[in-house]
Amino acid sequence: MNTLREIGQLAEHYDIAIVGAGPAGLSAAASAAELGLSVLLADENPAPGGQIYRAITTTPVADKCVLGEDYWKGGALVTRLERTAAAYAPGCTVWSVAPDETGGFELGLSLGGQARLVSAGQIILATGAQERPFPIPGWTLPGVMTAGAAQIALKSSGLVPSGRTVIAGCGPLLYLLAGQLAAAGANIVAVLDTTPRRNWLFALASLPDFLLSPYLAKGLKLMLQARRKLPFRTGVTALAAEGTDKVTSISVTHGGRTETIACDALLLHQGVIPGINLSNAAGCAQHFDAVQHCWTPTVDDWFASSIPGIAIAGDGAGIGGAESAALRGEIAALDAACRLGRISEAQRNAKAAPTQAELARSLRGRRFLDLLYRPAETFLAPPVDETIVCRCEEVTAGQIRDTASRLGVTGPNQMKAFLRCGMGPCQGRLCGPTVVELIAQAHKVSPAEVGYYRLRPPVKPITLGELAALPPTEAAVKAVVR
Amino acid sequence: MFRPMHELKAADALGFTLDGRAMTARAGDTVAAALLANGVEACRQTPVSGAPRGPYCMMGICFECLVVIDGVGNRQGCLIPLQQGMRIETQAGRRQPDAVRA
């Protein structure tokens, strides 16, 4: 592995460019490099691992029990990549992917404050997942963070919340984090479970499959450990963070009773959804996945998107978890090598077969988890009007509801024009799903009918200086010079 | 609001300032993690209402940890590794005309 620290070290062209160094990106890069392809693995973070294996090579958390054995499995993915000739660029942001004139692609990248355009024959987007927005009153107060953020602080810096900590929401990660933080010595004063009780009704049909899944033992152990040791409250139906300049307490309703709990930190989590900004901006077709309840890029069995030459591997193409992400990266890399003519279709199929079988096994039981931990309507479309939905532009649920019903706004792009939601620096990542949900509710249609933001590059802010320093194309010059 | 699990060894410590106040954090921390480790909760005020905000996602998607680093504004603290001697400043709301002239 050749680690690139400066933008000038990048080559003009790579056979394949992979975006994101989580499990999917790491295994795709290793697999492609082992097949003899020239590989660029670009990742925004300072070290490999993505979020699930965040700081796997650099974590200061020496006690292996704190993060658990599943975390340490990530090391093998990095070790495998290190043995290859792949180029790995940490701290490198890919802000654009677009087809070029040669049938390949042009990537816009920034590294160390400088931008470059490089070309690649094939693209694998392994941009992973993000936590689903959890809009409640007061969620913008300092001291309120996502559960994932606290986990990142723990993994990469060995930081533990120092005061009274409340963890709230639903999903397997909630239990995992509660256990990890407890093991690291955090003072957890409450774990508030927002899983709707009636979810069991919908999930039950998928239970037999789940009973055969690799998740079962792991998940049950996590949940039982967390429940035994920590102050759990289930059936939470309303939640608000309170305070003026920072969170000082939360108000929680469960079983028809409302109580106030004083706290110094509130960690929120209600599952993860694909990070779709880059694939959406690149023009890859998206659909609304009704089971996972999120917008998802449409991919085939080889994880090829609607744009030939762009594949999407890992959780960025639908949530499957870390193990499945690594397998999906492997399969996408084999298909990319085949598209480049380096291996035949028969070779691709033969090499992929065992990985595909393993992938099917690793996804077993996922549907049960998706249905069981589907967030409650009240935490997807906040009922309290004052709740901020777009954190960047400070647009509230009440404004969005009013604009949808009274002005008849039917889609998120029109909403953006009216209210500026989605136009701040996060580019809709933290408000998109909620805006869609509120519009769907106002017009009594499904989120699928409402659609999603039409995103455009650059998908991450770059400076004017970076843009201006890029070599101008002939078309760009013609557009402005008379 | 956060504390390090392990005591900071002198060999691993980096010095930096926040709004002129001297602070130390572990080499390898991002700017946002270094601020959290020093008990900093709010690192900016919003351009719309001036409300205080602090790091929220720690993975580069929410843009709540925007700070001024060595005079350059709008830097994502959670993606930038801390370096010895960094001058970090709270990002104060909307950019003021005076600040542009300065």
Side-chain angles (χ1 to χ4, degrees):
Chain A
M1 184 174 84
N2 181 16
T3 303
L4 310 179
R5 303 276 174 197
E6 284 170 33
I7 196 115
Q9 294 175 304
L10 268 70
E12 287 294 320
H13 178 84
Y14 292 91
D15 290 332
I16 179 164
I18 297 159
V19 186
L26 286 169
S27 71
S31 171
E34 285 163 7
L35 291 166
L37 274 57
S38 66
V39 176
L40 171 65
L41 175 62
D43 186 70
E44 218 172 20
N45 291 296
Q51 304 310 334
I52 191 84
Y53 302 129
R54 178 82 182 220
I56 186 71
T57 55
T58 57
T59 182
V61 182
D63 179 355
K64 296 213 167 187
C65 300
V66 171
L67 296 172
E69 59 186 90
D70 279 342
Y71 172 75
W72 296 99
K73 283 182 191 165
L77 294 171
V78 180
T79 309
R80 179 180 168 200
L81 185 71
E82 280 170 346
R83 293 200 196 101
T84 71
Y88 162 61
C92 179
T93 299
V94 176
W95 41 264
S96 166
V97 171
D100 66 13
E101 306 89 49
T102 67
F105 297 89
E106 182 187 77
L107 281 95
L109 316 102
S110 286
L111 176 62
Q114 287 181 298
R116 271 252 331 251
L117 300 174
V118 303
S119 71
Q122 295 280 312
I123 303 282
I124 297 178
L125 303 180
T127 49
Q130 66 162 78
E131 287 174 278
R132 190 192 295 274
F134 199 150
I136 56 166
W139 72 312
T140 52
L141 286 169
V144 182
M145 298 174 93
T146 71
Q151 204 185 31
I152 289 166
L154 176 64
K155 288 173 183 170
S156 56
S157 300
L159 295 177
V160 184
S162 51
R164 297 157 298 178
T165 303
V166 175
I167 303 176
C170 62
L173 181 65
L174 194 81
Y175 304 113
L176 174 63
L177 179 84
Q180 287 174 333
L181 288 183
N187 174 20
I188 298 167
V189 295
V191 181
L192 310 174
D193 195 328
T194 61
T195 310
R197 292 208 167 103
R198 64 190 195 109
N199 277 10
W200 279 100
L201 292 176
F202 305 113
L204 223 48
S206 307
L207 185 61
D209 204 30
F210 179 71
L211 293 175
L212 300 169
S213 87
Y215 293 114
L216 180 67
K218 200 192 300 179
L220 267 184
K221 203 169 124 197
L222 280 176
M223 199 190 300
L224 290 176
Q225 272 176 354
R227 286 219 178 180
R228 213 169 35 234
K229 287 189 194 151
L230 300 168
F232 249 80
R233 287 168 182 75
T234 57
V236 169
T237 52
L239 180 66
E242 296 164 338
T244 43
D245 287 337
K246 52 169 282 188
V247 65
T248 50
S249 64
I250 56 115
S251 161
V252 57
T253 307
H254 57 106
R257 204 163 59 85
T258 301
E259 64 174 318
T260 301
I261 302 172
C263 67
D264 304 294
L266 169 62
L267 307 176
L268 296 172
H269 176 81
Q270 55 175 351
V272 294
I273 58 176
I276 58 170
N277 277 51
L278 190 52
S279 62
N280 179 317
C284 302
Q286 317 269 326
H287 66 277
F288 189 80
D289 182 320
V291 175
Q292 299 199 333
H293 203 81
C294 54
W295 286 92
T296 305
T298 305
V299 293
D300 68 12
D301 289 345
W302 297 94
F303 307 106
S305 76
S306 62
I307 298 180
I310 302 183
I312 308 167
D315 278 0
I319 305 305
E323 281 172 39
S324 92
L327 301 169
R328 291 192 278 174
E330 187 93 29
I331 294 166
L334 288 170
D335 190 48
C338 177
R339 284 168 186 263
L340 288 165
R342 302 297 182 84
I343 56 173
S344 70
E345 227 168 85
Q347 284 171 314
R348 176 197 70 175
N349 296 352
K351 277 176 182 288
T355 314
Q356 285 164 327
E358 213 181 324
L359 177 63
R361 261 197 307 278
S362 83
L363 290 173
R364 209 159 191 181
R366 171 57 56 177
R367 187 183 163 86
F368 176 77
L369 290 177
D370 290 339
L371 293 171
L372 181 61
Y373 292 119
R374 185 167 159 170
E377 183 82 13
T378 184
F379 296 117
L380 291 172
V384 179
D385 277 347
E386 290 72 29
T387 314
I388 287 179
V389 170
C390 169
R391 299 172 60 103
C392 298
E393 296 291 332
E394 297 180 58
V395 181
T396 65
Q399 285 174 286
I400 292 165
R401 241 191 304 272
D402 184 58
T403 309
S405 55
R406 207 162 45 84
L407 300 179
V409 166
T410 55
N413 294 300
Q414 201 182 3
M415 192 63 81
K416 201 196 272 188
F418 275 74
L419 296 177
R420 289 193 57 81
C421 52
M423 291 182 77
C426 98
Q427 303 187 10
R429 288 170 174 90
L430 274 284
C431 72
T434 315
V435 169
V436 169
E437 209 70 45
L438 287 166
I439 297 173
Q441 204 181 53
H443 295 297
K444 298 187 175 60
V445 296
S446 74
E449 285 172 78
V450 173
Y452 195 75
Y453 290 135
R454 170 71 179 95
L455 303 169
R456 289 181 181 82
V459 296
K460 280 292 180 90
I462 55 172
T463 65
L464 196 56
E466 284 174 284
L467 260 186
L470 293 174
T473 62
E474 205 177 321
V477 173
K478 273 188 187 154
V480 290
V481 177
R482 284 168 199 271
Chain B
M1 116 187 231
F2 278 82
R3 61 174 173 80
M5 286 175 72
H6 313 284
E7 209 171 310
L8 185 61
K9 291 190 209 97
D12 290 340
L14 296 179
F16 66 101
T17 60
L18 173 69
D19 299 329
R21 277 184 293 150
M23 295 180 173
T24 51
R26 193 186 129 269
D29 283 354
T30 60
V31 166
L35 294 177
L36 291 176
N38 279 271
V40 176
E41 295 192 318
C43 61
R44 70 176 185 116
Q45 287 101 46
T46 64
V48 179
S49 70
R53 294 278 174 89
Y56 180 73
C57 79
M58 294 295 277
M59 54 176 272
I61 64 159
C62 77
F63 293 77
E64 294 291 12
C65 64
L66 295 180
V67 285
V68 181
I69 300 178
D70 293 332
V72 181
N74 286 316
R75 307 293 314 276
Q76 284 186 275
C78 72
L79 291 179
I80 296 170
L82 183 73
Q83 275 161 32
Q84 174 65 33
M86 265 185 173
R87 280 182 301 117
I88 302 166
E89 291 163 80
T90 304
Q91 180 151 318
R94 205 174 296 142
R95 183 176 282 204
Q96 300 300 317
D98 286 351
V100 176
R101 267 204 303 278

